[in-house]
């Protein structure tokens, strides 16, 4: 990963000039630059890949002096992100992530997999990743979440990925991982919120189905959308066949969303994403 | 249009054999045949294009004798369908239909256009089609609908097309045109039911928008879906720009749906379509 | 159209800083900015929408002083582009452009339509646009092209659009309109170069067909690609049905490409385009 | 897999009737039926899923008596297909197949993997599949192919899958596996035949890239196409990034093509496929 500068700031005239002046004065060369101004909130977003060896403290100081006081400036850590994956029974998203991870394509380190069922332990083990089986049966939601949180605390992941984790998370679970918890929802949100979206899609007779990768917030399936994709279907497909077809979409959408997130190309603003793809 | 036989029947063993036996005995040659059995309701659908000059009465009689008593058998009229188009202010769907009609590509005859605004009268006139301006201002919904229904009654159309007609229709309007009233909804149903779907999509930050052509039934935007299509969008597009981009999708989806309907490729069963594309 | 600054320059450190410094010094506020550095040729492209009332001469002078001597700087003319459309017999692309033009959606003025057949004169006339019928029969290619060039000379268009103009153009015709001559090719280039691409696609049994809008250069179908799109097909479609289905793709791809060109979002570099969409 | 009847025959009137009469007489119930008549060659294709316990010999005999003498009739073997996969260095297609196989989603048994490089031995071993390392270095093409053919002979696979096997096969290798050798080509054929299609696509500046799964015949990349898919790209992507993005398309297209092939939904006729999807 190259040097990365991420800025979110109230907009005002001359921001690009002021920022690039600081970079120029520090002898840093811009390789790629993306900006966007959200017109409604008048918020400025900028992501800059640059070459050179900056004195991070001096650079941050100079930028702070040049920018509005409420601007957020971040020099991204060049190390791969640490990730824990939560799963239930379906393998396709986890398989996709494990394979990419095994071949160095994920720009992240999968530290562990946590499952509320045990069926994916064998697959995980084949790739040499620790699997934590934390069954929810016989436990309260709070007790089960506390156990999962405890495992997460051990790994201190940058991101938690819900790879077909079929449990609804309480706000208390979500809060400490704000904008760091990525879910794949098996529908083209907001079309079929909640459970059994393929059954819903089949009952409604839609001609296209899709999948949505999003950050999780306190309302089920309502967090900022990162990526979506669709496939055409027709009347000949049962709800079960639609689910099968949908899995290929789900895993690719999740992988693409994670690539954007791990490459620091995603800003979250209110309930939406700004993505410099 | 070739000879067309359309059959919807409770399923039972041997139906294809019995039907094709009747066609063979009448010296008719099958050019294309499509069947489907809806597994839940155990309903059999068959659409057969055939060559030959059948005695329609004899053919119908023989089929009735061979099929279950509740089977519906239809020999489709080979003439193009008669159509009336209802519009408000947006031109893109009407333009698409008028151009296709002018060049003989619609497999239907546009008998008239009815608008609750007058802005599309000029366009319609350029193509030599009668335009009826029936403003809704100052009229009750019932009174306005009665005026529109009166115009429709004059033309006795096979189908009524809502080409961005931005009025909600009452059940009394819809009922006599069951499965003959086609609407284009400017969203990927059921994602954004109701008004201002692009504003809704923008507010939700979705990454894909779409359009849905469907038959109208008594519940707004809930009728059987005929065709859907989508395009990708991103954070840089305002709700207005999304609407602009969406128009290209809307007009193509509507045109494709009408082609399927006018070619008698669409069966309606409960609230879904079976389409032999 | 807002104020637009278009810069193409050899890349060097600090370019964004230097350009934005000039804009800031002239009291101009950047609304949207896009840059790209082509890594192979080390070429810098920048498109800037800005607010304010610049003294064009002073701004150009200041930019020239700040940039490498071979940089090309352009302040885009805010007026809609003037366009002449060349056609043969197929209507769908011309219809699309005429309808968009009639409703003010083209960001260009269609000054005239030129046809080597007369069949589209009626359609053109319905929209009040002059139609020049210049038959090629009985004329040499050179003589016919001279006639077309003479009509073009009268209108002095910014762009010439080949809307299914089925004549191969000689280099002498193309040269004066370098990067100003847009063609829609009825295939997914470079898959089926030349004539009858749908017949070629059918013979090859492909499962997807497409269309390509591109600038025309001296080699047939080899110019810089602006936009492409595709649709799935299958074995049931004849070459003629594929052509029908392909027309919807062609007209939308052409319209989208022209929108990009007319909005000055397309840079041409060697034989490729850089597009700030 | 249900009972499957596959028929390819010269077309003549009454074929569907004659075939379904035989099925009806044998007490077999049609679950799904697809037919197609290739109009150019006047060839009839039919794929019938049926319920019941046929006497295969009697059924074949009755069909042979009812059909033209050159008709080909096949009762498909309900067992999963046996497959050997050939690979070089890239893992993504093999990974996809191994994962699907491990979870019983392939409708085939991967008997072995053969690689001309050793890098994928570890991955293959994790899934408990034999890996045969047959390096080509220092061997003539003929000698190397003989070694591969010898391994194949041991497994007697129904199909051989080239999962990014980067060696050109001689006609002598291909012939015994006619219509049983499936390749994934990393381009949208016929756009970029041969090696380095992504480099070619990048050089040409295309806006869409794709992948093609096809049967292999004696001419490189010219065999019958089974499935294709595409993704949009733009000027910001290097040839290497295009290749990365293309891998997701390749593996899904290959998996989809194999599903069609293993489910006996693909007929090959001349150099094209008829697919009952």
């Amino acid at each position: 990963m190259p040097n990365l500068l991420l800025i979110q700031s109230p907009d005002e005239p001359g921001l690009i000039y002021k920022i690039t002046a600081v970079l120029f004065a520090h002898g840093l060369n811009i390789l790629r630059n993306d900006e966007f101004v959200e017109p409604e909130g008048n918020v400025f977003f900028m992501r800059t890949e640059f070459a050179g060896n900056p004195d991070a403290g001096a650079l941050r100081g100079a930028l702070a002096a040049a920018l509005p006081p409420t601007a957020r400036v971040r020099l991204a850590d060049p190390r791969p992100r640490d990730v824990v994956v939560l799963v239930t029974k379906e393998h396709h998203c986890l398989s996709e992530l494990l394979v990419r991870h095994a071949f160095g394509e994920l720009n992240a380190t999968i530290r562990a997999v946590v499952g509320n069922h045990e069926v994916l332990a064998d697959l995980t083990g084949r790739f040499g990743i620790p699997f934590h089986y934390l069954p929810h049966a016989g436990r309260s939601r709070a007790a089960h979440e506390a156990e999962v949180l405890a495992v997460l605390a051990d790994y201190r992941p940058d991101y938690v990925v819900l790879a077909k984790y079929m449990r609804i998370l309480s706000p208390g679970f979500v809060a400490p991982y704000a904008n760091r918890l990525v879910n794949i929802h098996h529908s083209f949100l907001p079309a079929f919120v909640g459970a059994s979206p393929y059954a819903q899609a089949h009952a409604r007779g839609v001609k296209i189905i899709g999948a949505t990768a999003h950050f999780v917030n306190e309302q089920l399936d309502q967090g900022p959308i990162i990526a979506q994709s669709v496939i055409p279907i027709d009347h000949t497909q049962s709800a079960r066949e639609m689910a099968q077809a949908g899995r290929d979409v789900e895993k690719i959408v999740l992988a693409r969303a994670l690539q954007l997130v791990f490459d620091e190309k995603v800003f979250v603003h209110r309930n939406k994403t700004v993505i410099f793809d």
Side-chain angles (χ1 to χ4, degrees), chain A:
Chain A
M1 205 140 94
N3 285 303
L4 257 188
L5 176 64
L6 304 159
I7 295 176
Q8 184 167 343
S9 168
D11 193 30
E12 62 174 38
L15 276 186
I16 302 175
Y17 157 64
K18 290 169 189 168
I19 296 164
T20 55
V22 170
L23 293 170
F24 191 64
H26 283 70
L28 305 169
N29 191 24
I30 294 175
L31 301 174
R32 178 179 161 180
N33 199 47
D34 291 280
E35 320 98 33
F36 176 67
V37 177
E38 158 67 39
E40 288 155 39
N42 215 33
V43 184
F44 171 90
F45 302 88
M46 182 160 160
R47 178 188 185 278
T48 306
E49 299 181 5
F50 62 93
N53 246 321
D55 174 331
L59 182 59
R60 267 196 212 95
L63 286 166
L67 294 169
T70 57
R72 278 182 279 168
V73 174
R74 193 152 69 88
L75 281 167
D77 189 331
R79 292 175 310 177
R81 302 299 171 247
D82 276 348
V83 170
V84 172
V85 182
L86 271 57
V87 300
T88 294
K89 287 180 180 173
E90 288 177 272
H91 78 88
H92 56 290
C93 288
L94 177 61
S95 297
E96 185 73 19
L97 299 183
L98 289 173
V99 165
R100 288 178 189 246
H101 182 257
F103 287 91
E105 298 167 0
L106 197 61
N107 197 15
T109 303
I110 299 180
R111 301 289 311 280
V113 175
V114 176
N116 62 324
H117 286 268
E118 205 168 5
V119 291
L120 298 177
D122 175 62
L123 173 75
T124 306
R126 287 179 195 223
F127 288 92
I129 308 287
F131 184 91
H132 299 264
Y133 171 42
L134 299 178
H136 63 274
R139 284 159 181 79
S140 69
R141 181 175 306 279
H144 184 249
E145 287 193 350
E147 289 185 60
V148 177
L149 284 170
V151 170
L152 293 181
D154 284 347
Y155 290 106
R156 304 186 57 182
D158 298 298
Y159 292 97
V160 175
V161 179
L162 307 179
K164 307 294 288 178
Y165 183 65
M166 307 307 278
R167 303 270 300 165
I168 294 173
L169 299 174
S170 70
F173 188 104
V174 172
Y177 291 100
N179 297 338
R180 300 194 291 137
L181 196 49
V182 177
N183 185 44
I184 179 71
H185 189 267
H186 44 323
S187 97
F188 178 67
L189 289 175
F192 298 108
V193 174
S196 301
Y198 293 117
Q200 290 183 60
H202 187 257
R204 184 64 187 86
V206 294
K207 303 302 183 189
I208 290 174
I209 55 171
T212 303
H214 62 99
F215 289 112
V216 177
N217 64 13
E218 296 171 18
Q219 282 179 281
L220 178 66
D221 303 337
Q222 297 291 313
I225 292 171
I226 307 166
Q228 299 189 294
S229 187
V230 295
I231 46 167
I233 55 154
D234 66 26
H235 63 271
T236 64
Q237 287 167 286
S238 66
R240 199 182 126 270
E241 288 167 329
M242 283 167 52
Q244 278 180 323
R247 279 183 213 125
D248 289 349
V249 178
E250 293 169 18
K251 72 184 186 185
I252 299 297
V253 168
L254 177 60
R256 195 192 318 153
L258 291 178
Q259 190 179 330
L260 293 167
V261 169
F262 297 158
D263 290 354
E264 300 283 359
K265 291 182 170 170
V266 182
F267 287 80
V268 174
H269 175 54
R270 290 174 185 168
N271 202 39
K272 304 209 294 195
T273 54
V274 169
I275 298 181
F276 294 127
D277 193 2

